[in-house]
Amino acid sequence: MAMTITEKIFARAAGRDEVSPGEIVEARIDVAMIHDLTGPLVIHTFRETGAERVWDPERIVIVGDHQVPANSVEAALNHITLRKFASEQGIKYFYDIFEGICHQVVPEKGFALPGSLIVGADSHTTTYGALGCVSAGVGASDMASVFVTGKLWFRVPESIKIVLDGKLPERVMTKDLILKIIGDLGADGANYCAVEFAGDGLSNISVDGRLTMCNMGVEMGAKNAIIPPDELTRRYLEGRAKWSYTPVYSDPDAEYKEVHEYDISGLEPQVACPHSVDNVKPISEVGEVEVDQAFLGSCTNARMEDLRIAAEILKGRKVDKRVRLIVSPASRDVYRRALDEGLIKIFVDAGAMIEPPGCVACMGAHVGVLGPGEVCISASNRNFRGRQGSRESEVYLGSPATVAASAINGVITDPRDA
Amino acid sequence: MARAWVFGDDISTDDIIAGRYLSKFEAEHDPRWLADHVMENVDPEFASKVKEGDVIIGGKNFGCGSSREEAPIALKGAGIKAVFAESFARIFYRNSINRGLYVFVSPGVSRGFKSGDEVEVDVEKGEILNVRTGETFRAEPMPEFMLKIIRVGGLLEHLKGRK
């Protein structure tokens, strides 16, 4: 029977020759990730089950990233909970605060491997599919049950194929592409489905760009987003991969629920307007929107490619007096490379504040919180009402290039004009 | 008297419980802390209006966004007995079952109620009656293994019970 890449990975993880969409299977988990804002509840629930040891201390990754360094006593308590648990259980891969955002650390440290099945106690766990694995977000109870058994039940998802052709124009990024797709398909357009990217256009998209695309798969409801591994994947994983791996690919005659084709060569920058991620407009139709804050960070867009394009736009220029530009590199590694390349100096000279690697302003629970009536242009992934602070604030989502150009002008600006 | 509270499409888990309230619950595990802020981003008065046994009527894609399990915990903590919606986002749906909150996919339900309508709910049958209009909505059947988890109060109790 012909299968998609996602079906093949579920079949392997379930110890089966084949599986079909709609079937419920119990699958073995290769990697389970928790962080400081959902992890303590996982640990609490794990303890309540009465279990004493996790199923495999080498297959659990713990990352402190949401409220780092701690901004409250509660946040500090949550960090202490992670530290105690990691020590008591002998968790081999515990990344305390300042290693970076979980969705950068997991790929960067070589845990996201082609053909594997990963769950994370975070919805943006879809990110890792950029490296050819099935990777899905789960809640605390499901994760606690994984910690005990190493397994979880899944409904095998139908797949939606998105075929990309061409090459993105200058200063148009995969963020613009994924926003365009989410705008077209809707916030529930891929609900319960696998989103599989395909087509010749992928060969022109870097691993950084692919991680952005898969990251936002969940914003159209996807269970997982996935990109077939290729030469770029292989090179990215060289010297990084924690374990050996076996790439899998969709059969040519595999069945898809839907197929959508995009010629990406003519794409213009896109912006998701308040208060939903699928309220997407081409930047030329957004109109004059003044901004108080510009955020270049988050698991969506704080990697080298993102920082480089923002620095190219900001070099030798100043952020508008009315705007606070907040930059947070995705990880310690990205931070150091950005320092080596002189990008951080460009940001500081332009008037930006540099925050440590972490979730920072994305989810309104750490720093960079918005007050009533304030507007932010953000390279992050969600613009829900109140997401970054006051319920009377507004968040517009755009690419790192759009964030940089808008910070200079004080209004949402097409980066091709900056 | 149980009442319906009607919300629209794409209600996110940020709407149900904002990110700023998570760390205290993660550290202290008291659902009342979440219940005091439930639905605050959509309706700041909601927490003071909702009563034990009330139900939420949602549109499509209810519970989209973040994987925070605090969302069903907050709803349950505020006394919500069940959520009937046109459709649910997948992580919220699983989390609700795992926390013992009844979630029913019920096509057409979002057009059948106004906030404040008196309702009668039969969770075993997955039915909700609007007392004002006399109309009953029936949910799509849920697999028995999911119902079993909800009936005992969630996945944790279910796992304990199997030992």
Side-chain angles (χ1 to χ4, degrees), chain A residues 269-347:
Chain A
Q270 308 284 312
V271 173
C273 301
H275 293 286
S276 67
V277 185
D278 62 355
N279 185 17
V280 176
K281 295 177 185 169
I283 200 161
S284 56
E285 292 172 21
V286 170
E288 172 118 345
V289 178
E290 291 186 16
V291 299
D292 302 284
Q293 184 160 296
F295 176 49
L296 174 56
S298 84
C299 58
T300 308
N301 273 134
R303 302 185 174 87
M304 285 310 292
E305 183 173 290
D306 305 320
L307 302 187
R308 282 188 190 124
I309 196 164
E312 174 195 305
I313 292 167
L314 286 160
K315 190 170 187 177
R317 307 177 74 175
K318 292 283 180 206
V319 169
D320 189 280
K321 285 198 293 289
R322 296 164 296 176
V323 180
R324 314 177 292 265
L325 172 60
I326 298 174
V327 178
S328 160
S331 68
R332 181 210 296 267
D333 184 60
V334 171
Y335 199 158
R336 190 182 37 72
R337 287 162 67 200
L339 276 168
D340 290 348
E341 287 188 20
L343 309 183
I344 300 294
K345 183 170 190 306
I346 291 171
F347 296 140

Side-chain angles (χ1 to χ4, degrees), chain A residues 9-16 19 23-29 117 145 149-156, chain B residues 94 159 162:
Chain A
I9 292 171
F10 273 116
R12 182 199 55 78
R16 299 260 301 272
V19 295
E23 253 186 273
I24 293 191
V25 297
E26 190 176 55
R28 274 181 191 283
I29 303 302
L117 175 61
S145 142
T149 65
K151 294 179 197 159
L152 194 64
W153 69 266
F154 293 88
R155 181 186 165 280
V156 178
Chain B
R94 283 185 81 125
L159 291 172
R162 286 205 304 191

Side-chain angles (χ1 to χ4, degrees), chain A residues 42-51 81 84-85 88-89:
Chain A
V42 174
I43 292 167
H44 182 70
T45 310
F46 170 81
R47 294 201 196 289
E48 284 193 78
T49 66
T81 298
K84 277 189 180 158
F85 184 75
E88 153 207 316
Q89 295 288 327

Side-chain angles (χ1 to χ4, degrees), chain A residues 352-363:
Chain A
M353 285 170 278
I354 314 297
E355 291 292 334
C359 302
V360 184
C362 175
M363 45 91 69

Side-chain angles (χ1 to χ4, degrees), chain A residues 13 22 35 37 60 91 107 117 163 185 187 195 250 252 259 297 371 399:
Chain A
H35 57 61
L37 201 57
I60 291 173
I91 301 294
L117 175 61
V163 184
L185 270 59
V195 169
S250 293
V259 178
S399 77

Side-chain angles (χ1 to χ4, degrees), chain B residues 24-37:
Chain B
K24 193 172 160 76
F25 177 78
E26 291 272 336
E28 297 172 2
H29 317 293
D30 183 352
R32 280 175 305 182
W33 166 251
L34 299 174
D36 286 347
H37 301 285

Side-chain angles (χ1 to χ4, degrees), chain A residues 106-221:
Chain A
V106 167
E108 193 178 276
K109 303 287 182 194
F111 295 103
L113 299 174
S116 61
L117 175 61
I118 303 180
V119 290
D122 189 283
S123 62
H124 291 110
T125 300
T126 54
T127 309
Y128 319 144
L131 296 163
C133 53
V134 167
S135 186
V138 300
S141 295
D142 276 340
M143 186 58 92
S145 142
V146 170
F147 275 20
V148 177
T149 65
K151 294 179 197 159
L152 194 64
W153 69 266
F154 293 88
R155 181 186 165 280
V156 178
E158 288 82 12
S159 289
I160 294 176
K161 181 147 95 170
I162 298 182
V163 184
L164 306 176
D165 192 26
K167 189 169 190 254
L168 289 170
E170 192 133 336
R171 291 197 177 170
V172 180
M173 306 182 69
T174 55
K175 176 64 158 290
D176 301 302
L177 173 59
I178 193 65
L179 286 177
K180 168 75 178 151
I181 293 168
I182 294 166
D184 290 349
L185 270 59
D188 66 345
N191 223 351
Y192 292 86
C193 294
V195 169
E196 178 179 330
F197 295 99
D200 294 341
L202 280 176
S203 61
N204 300 316
I205 297 176
S206 69
V207 169
D208 280 3
R210 294 175 183 189
L211 290 163
T212 301
M213 287 160 59
C214 291
N215 174 273
M216 292 196 69
V218 70
E219 307 308 334
M220 41 186 169

